[in-house]
Each structure stands twice: as C-alpha cells, then as structure tokens.
Amino acid sequence: MRKKWMGLCLGLMLAIGLAACGTGNDANDNNNGGETGGETGGETATNDAEEIVKNNCISCHGDNLEGRNGPALAQIGSKLSKDEILDVIENGRDGMPGNIIQGDDAEKVAQWLSEKK
C-alpha cells in the first residue's frame, strides 16, 4: 500500500512539474514575438495580423475572407474604418460574439482589415 502512495505522489509531482515548464515556454515565445512585432514595423505586424485572423476568423469568414457563415471581409476596409472594425471585434455584431480577439491583437487585425479595399 505504501508503494502505491509513493508512486502516485511521484507521478503527480512529475505531472505538475512538466505542466509548469510547458506553460512558461509558451508565454516567453508570445512575449518575444510581440516585442519583435512592435520593433520591426509594418511587415511583421501584417504577418501577425494574418496569423491571428487565420487562427480565429477563417472558420466563419473563409480562408480568403470571402465569407462563409459570417460576411465577406476581403474588402471590408472600403465599408468600415479601423475604429468601426475594432468596435465589431470588441463588441460583436449580427451573430458574431465580441472579444474573440482582444488587446493588441484586436488592434493589429482591425488595422490590417481596414486596409482591405
């Protein structure tokens, strides 16, 4: 019985230790990417925005922003300003929940989409 408890405790400590290590590495990678994006300028910000859209938006707006369940965004910049797009991202609209993207990422995506004309 004692060996079972020792094994269980050892396994639990190992699992907690590995989980903690994995989380720290992801956070550092995200922070470094964010700092680099701010320092290098437009091209990195555009790449960041495209990646953010790819990860969060294409399921509804399509791979090429042609629209699926949600409206087409391929030329949304000719209809809405950056601030209007940011408002939709933050507050939602017509079936789209708000805050799917937040903070600096929302700003980057709003800027990128506002240039789609």
Side-chain angles (χ1 to χ4, degrees):
M1 177 83 159
R2 187 175 181 154
K3 289 182 181 182
K4 288 182 182 179
W5 280 107
M6 292 287 284
L8 179 64
C9 288
L10 181 60
L12 185 60
M13 289 177 15
L14 181 62
I16 291 171
L18 290 175
C21 289
T23 303
N25 289 337
D26 290 343
N28 288 336
D29 290 344
N30 289 340
N31 288 340
N32 289 340
E35 290 173 12
T36 302
E39 292 175 358
T40 59
E43 187 174 329
T44 302
T46 298
N47 291 339
D48 290 346
E50 289 182 52
E51 190 66 26
I52 294 164
V53 168
K54 179 180 172 187
N55 292 331
N56 295 285
C57 308
I58 64 171
S59 62
C60 293
H61 296 287
D63 293 335
N64 298 311
L65 304 178
E66 73 277 8
R68 283 189 186 159
N69 299 336
L73 300 178
Q75 297 179 341
I76 195 67
S78 64
K79 298 175 186 173
L80 298 176
S81 69
K82 176 191 175 217
D83 291 336
E84 291 170 324
I85 294 169
L86 183 60
D87 181 63
V88 172
I89 292 170
E90 292 176 342
N91 299 309
R93 178 191 229 182
D94 299 333
M96 177 180 154
N99 292 316
I100 292 175
I101 305 169
Q102 299 177 351
D104 289 339
D105 288 349
E107 290 276 343
K108 289 176 189 175
V109 170
Q111 178 63 44
W112 184 69
L113 287 173
S114 71
E115 296 168 1
K116 299 280 183 199
K117 298 183 182 195

